[in-house]
């Protein structure tokens, strides 16, 4: 059993002023603290950071159509050199929150498991309230880069010593040709001495 929505929660919105007359519209602007874990492993919106929301609520036959944008800071680390990253993120989203009684009027869809229509999650109004958090979370996660970099041409780290190559473009290590690697351990002076002894015998 899901917990009932709390109208005091920062991402819960009340639609009672909108009414249920199709075509009615209301605009909202709100700054909220970001919920925890809003992002992916390597980059995301820090918990508690300010998220600026601009929303448009529209009353339609089935429920309330929510269209909006969110602006938030994101932090993470470059996957190539591990340096911290700080960026600004803007995302757009749109979701229909259906009236509870508008549950397709008991209609059964003729869809197989895995069909896009059957897999799509449906959101409902609860006592004229809706929770924006899951919609916002999906929008932010989809907008974040899976492989964030501090810059497009970041050279990364040295594979030998871990030095940041951007700080020292001429950084390199002397590399021995693998074909000659076995010879570098041979004691040349000792080998020469042994040959002289054999000749004397």
């Amino acid at each position: 059993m899901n917990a009932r929505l709390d109208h005091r929660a920062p991402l819960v919105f009340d639609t009672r002023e909108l009414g249920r007359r199709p075509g009615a519209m209301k605009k909202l602007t709100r700054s909220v603290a970001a919920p925890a874990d809003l992002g992916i492993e390597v980059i995301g919106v820090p918990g508690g950071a300010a998220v600026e929301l601009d929303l448009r609520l529209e009353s339609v036959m089935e429920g309330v159509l929510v269209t909006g944008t969110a602006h938030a800071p994101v932090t993470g680390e470059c996957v190539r050199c591990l340096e911290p990253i700080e960026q600004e993120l803007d995302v757009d989203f749109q979701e229909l929150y259906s009236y509870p009684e508008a549950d397709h009027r008991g209609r059964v869809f003729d869809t197989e498991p895995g069909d896009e229509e059957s897999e799509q999650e449906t959101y409902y109004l609860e006592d004229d309230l809706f929770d924006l958090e899951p919609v916002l979370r999906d929008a932010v996660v989809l907008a974040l880069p899976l492989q964030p970099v501090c810059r497009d041409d970041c050279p990364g780290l040295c594979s030998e010593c871990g030095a940041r190559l951007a700080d020292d473009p001429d950084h390199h290590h002397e590399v021995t040709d693998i074909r000659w690697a076995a010879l570098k351990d041979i004691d040349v002076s000792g080998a020469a001495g042994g040959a002289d002894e054999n000749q004397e015998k």
Side-chain angles (χ1 to χ4, degrees):
M1 188 73 179
N2 293 333
R4 298 187 68 81
L5 295 182
D6 182 354
H7 70 279
R8 296 166 298 183
L11 287 167
V12 171
F13 293 82
D14 193 333
T15 67
R16 279 176 294 188
E17 291 184 13
L18 185 66
R20 292 197 175 192
R21 181 172 56 84
M25 185 184 72
K26 180 180 179 181
K27 292 186 176 182
L28 293 172
T29 301
R30 183 182 293 184
S31 179
V32 301
D37 303 319
L38 184 56
I40 57 179
E41 185 176 354
V42 289
I43 192 168
V45 181
V51 180
E52 306 297 333
L53 298 171
D54 285 307
L55 305 178
R56 186 179 72 215
L57 314 183
E58 296 177 82
S59 180
V60 296
M61 290 292 293
E62 300 87 354
V64 175
L65 181 66
V66 178
T67 306
T69 61
H71 175 84
V74 295
T75 60
E77 64 179 26
C78 175
V79 295
R80 295 180 189 168
C81 69
L82 307 182
E83 283 294 296
I85 295 176
E86 292 185 4
Q87 299 174 350
E88 298 292 319
L89 181 70
D90 290 287
V91 295
D92 299 319
F93 50 85
Q94 185 175 71
E95 189 62 57
L96 174 65
Y97 288 84
S98 299
Y99 297 127
E101 64 271 19
D103 188 11
H104 307 302
R105 305 183 187 280
R107 181 158 56 99
V108 177
F109 287 108
D110 184 19
T111 54
E112 296 295 329
D115 286 357
E116 183 177 345
E117 191 172 15
S118 63
E119 294 290 329
Q120 187 174 359
E121 186 171 1
T122 301
Y123 295 97
Y124 291 97
L125 292 168
E126 180 183 304
D127 297 330
D128 294 314
L129 302 174
F130 69 86
D131 185 4
L132 189 66
E133 182 173 337
V135 174
L136 176 64
R137 189 176 294 279
D138 287 348
V140 168
V141 168
L142 288 174
L144 291 172
L146 294 177
Q147 299 281 313
V149 290
C150 58
R151 67 183 204 216
D152 291 340
D153 60 346
C154 174
L157 302 176
C158 173
S159 59
E160 294 287 329
C161 66
R164 187 169 181 260
L165 297 178
D167 296 334
D168 183 9
D170 297 325
H171 178 88
H172 69 283
H173 295 270
E174 293 297 334
V175 179
T176 304
D177 190 319
I178 192 169
R179 293 170 296 180
W180 301 102
L183 298 179
K184 70 184 177 77
D185 296 326
I186 296 178
D187 185 351
V188 178
S189 60
D196 291 341
E197 290 177 7
N198 289 336
Q199 287 180 354
E200 289 174 2
K201 290 178 181 179

